[in-house]
Amino acid sequence: MSRIVLGVTGGVAAYKAALLLRLFTEAGHDVRVVPTESALEFVGAPTWEALSGNPVQTGVFENVPEVPHVKLGQTADLVVVAPATANTLARAAHGLADDLLTNTLLTARCPVVMAPAMHTEMWEHPATVANVATLRERGVLVIEPDSGRLTGADTGPGRLPDPEAIHAVCLQVLQGRPRDLAGQHVVVSAGGTREFLDPVRFLGNRSSGRQGIALAEAALARGASVTLVAANVSVDVPAGAEVVRVVTTSELRDAMLKAAESADAVVMAAAPADFRPVSFADAKIKKQPDGVAPSIELTENPDILVELVRTRSGRRPVIVGFAAETGDANGSVLDHARAKMARKGCDLLVVNDVGSERTFGQPDNEVTILTAEGSEHPVARAAKSEIAHAIWDAVVQRVE
Ligand code: CTP
């Protein structure tokens, strides 16, 4: 059981915080809701008190003998503000303390998660951009808002992510991982690319994107700002990451090279298709009356990992590759992996034995992490989230 302070600020999305509160209490946490005055214009105090089982106040002059403006922050294991308005982001960034929530933010020494929600113009305003950057620099985990339908007919970035997604971020944070990636920008690719033959058919592969997404979630929990380049992933992407969706290897390449320019670490967990059809048929390829199947001429795709290594300046970003290997007559899984590492020139290589059915789409994994210096770290079979943390442990040693 953790002690959670749920700050709710004045936006229509305050109703979603009621569902987030339910998720926390159902998981057995003790939640104190601290709404702002304007939040109560949207959802009233009785809702928060009934759902949390705790009293609710907005100012510092109620319930004074308990000194709540200091005590709440000091005793919390997590402070989460959802939704966080532009006004509250500004107050938090500037250290104002004009109500109970902002006092709590100043006294809290635990992790702080903020989930902004506002109209796109406000989110993109330079003042808000600067406030978010300040908060992130101080180690606050500011969740990237979703893009989509806003309160009115307008659409764009600014929606509060679903309560389940905010909850998942908070659970990661509550695991108490070290925030040793705070201030670092990491880029993770996930999923498998598709190469189209015609408007309906493509060459693809079995990557679900789970390991890459676990890496993104783990990096968020450790305080990084995360860009997730997602290629046809079949699992939900984490709230809090900047997500760039791609389909083909060429799109993945462009997105990775661009994101890597400002990155401290890059992990190529995606499975790009190695080959693509030489030509794309504008119309669906039809079966021939004579029963002869078409032959497909393939050409090799660019190797993104190699290009990332070649185009970096100096030792930044740290570059991590994955190697899906099977042992054969020419060598063991690790023999092939060592040769691959030498070929690709990355700093770390995470080696997966894919000779069995035990990797693709599975919740767990078993890997060996090879370093450029020649050491080997086996990571015993564990959930992909644990494997992700083991990979970041190895990365952290190189970004410090
Ligand atoms: N990779 C890449 N670009 C490609 C192919 C692979 O960046 N066109 C990256 C993968 O994301 C992974 C690493 O290279 O991080 C190794 O991928 P893997 O499929 O094991 O290696 P290949 O280079 O495809 O080698 P081979 O299939 O010949 O073993």
Side-chain angles (χ1 to χ4, degrees), residues 263-280:
D264 298 292
V266 176
V267 185
M268 271 301 295
D274 287 326
F275 308 101
R276 65 176 188 280
V278 168
S279 57
F280 172 77

Side-chain angles (χ1 to χ4, degrees), residues 189 249 252 267-274 301-306 308 320-325 340 343-344 349:
S189 67
T249 300
L252 176 63
V267 185
M268 271 301 295
D274 287 326
N301 268 328
D303 192 310
I304 303 166
L305 187 55
V306 165
L308 285 166
V320 185
F322 269 69
E325 297 291 349
K340 184 168 288 181
R343 233 172 27 240
K344 304 233 178 194
L349 190 74

Side-chain angles (χ1 to χ4, degrees), residues 116-131:
M118 64 197 72
H119 282 279
T120 305
E121 291 81 354
M122 297 173 88
W123 174 244
E124 290 177 349
H125 192 283
T128 307
V129 170
N131 290 331

